[in-house]
Amino acid sequence: VDEAQNVYAILKSRCNELGVVVGLLHSHFIQKDRKRIEDEYITYFSKKETRSNRGVILVGTQILEQSLDIDADLMITEIAPIDMLLQRMGRLWRHKENNNHRPCNNPTCIILHPSFEKVQSDVQNAFGVNGVIYSPYVLYRTLKAIHNIVSISVPSEIRSLIESTYVY
């Protein structure tokens, strides 16, 4: 949550003059505030005609991968276990109703992670805080599975990615 708050503050200050809406959603908000934020951002990322034409950035924690029915064009995420990454990627181009209004040709997910070499030399510490939240070994196996992959075809590649991470 601290990292999400820091990223939000940076993006908010840099995007303010551009007219880009920047929001923050995490599990530490009280229920009333969280509901208000969810309702606001659903309108920007929904399958309804109210979907925003302008730039909108929503900085969030794990709650975005499970609790909101959002439809995004670009996602930037830190590395997580492959099943969670795939769940997050499921928020990209989720609703076909929006296909005529997309500002880009393909959905894009950028996964932030330490270098493969750094992970191989110090798997216990290479992932920083993510290595505390998730098993460093599972993060290593996930990174190994996606290393050098440029695109993922969903749903056809889901099983092979999960198996390459969890099957020994």
Side-chain angles (χ1 to χ4, degrees):
V1 172
D2 290 343
E3 194 168 335
Q5 290 171 328
N6 290 336
V7 168
Y8 166 76
I10 292 166
L11 289 172
K12 182 80 172 162
S13 69
R14 293 186 179 173
C15 294
N16 196 32
E17 293 178 13
L18 301 173
V20 174
V21 176
V22 180
L24 174 66
L25 185 62
H26 55 71
S27 60
H28 291 183
F29 282 110
I30 61 173
Q31 187 61 33
K32 179 180 82 170
D33 291 337
R34 182 174 159 182
K35 176 74 171 124
R36 178 186 49 76
I37 295 166
E38 287 177 359
D39 289 346
E40 176 184 352
Y41 282 87
I42 285 291
T43 63
Y44 294 126
F45 294 101
S46 71
K47 62 182 172 184
K48 301 175 185 166
E49 292 299 319
T50 58
R51 184 178 159 98
S52 177
N53 293 5
R54 60 189 213 180
V56 179
I57 299 172
L58 181 57
V59 178
T61 58
Q62 293 169 308
I63 63 172
L64 290 180
E65 79 189 32
Q66 297 174 352
S67 65
L68 291 182
D69 182 16
I70 60 174
D71 178 81
D73 301 309
L74 169 67
M75 176 181 299
I76 302 172
T77 182
E78 290 185 335
I79 190 141
I82 192 68
D83 47 327
M84 292 181 174
L85 285 177
L86 292 166
Q87 180 75 19
R88 291 173 191 176
M89 288 179 204
R91 302 301 185 252
L92 292 167
W93 283 24
R94 188 176 179 96
H95 299 300
K96 290 181 177 136
E97 297 91 327
N98 293 330
N99 286 351
N100 292 332
H101 310 290
R102 304 243 184 242
C104 53
N105 294 326
N106 295 298
T108 302
C109 180
I110 298 168
I111 302 169
L112 305 175
H113 59 80
S115 72
F116 196 65
E117 294 75 23
K118 181 176 181 180
V119 173
Q120 286 181 312
S121 68
D122 187 12
V123 71
Q124 290 300 318
N125 298 304
F127 293 103
V129 106
N130 283 343
V132 174
I133 297 168
Y134 309 113
S135 162
Y137 183 70
V138 172
L139 293 176
Y140 166 73
R141 297 278 303 193
T142 297
L143 184 57
K144 191 173 178 184
I146 64 171
H147 189 67
N148 295 325
I149 289 181
V150 175
S151 67
I152 296 173
S153 179
V154 176
S156 63
E157 294 180 18
I158 291 175
R159 182 181 191 104
S160 64
L161 287 168
I162 290 175
E163 286 179 355
S164 67
T165 300
Y166 292 109
V167 176
Y168 305 111

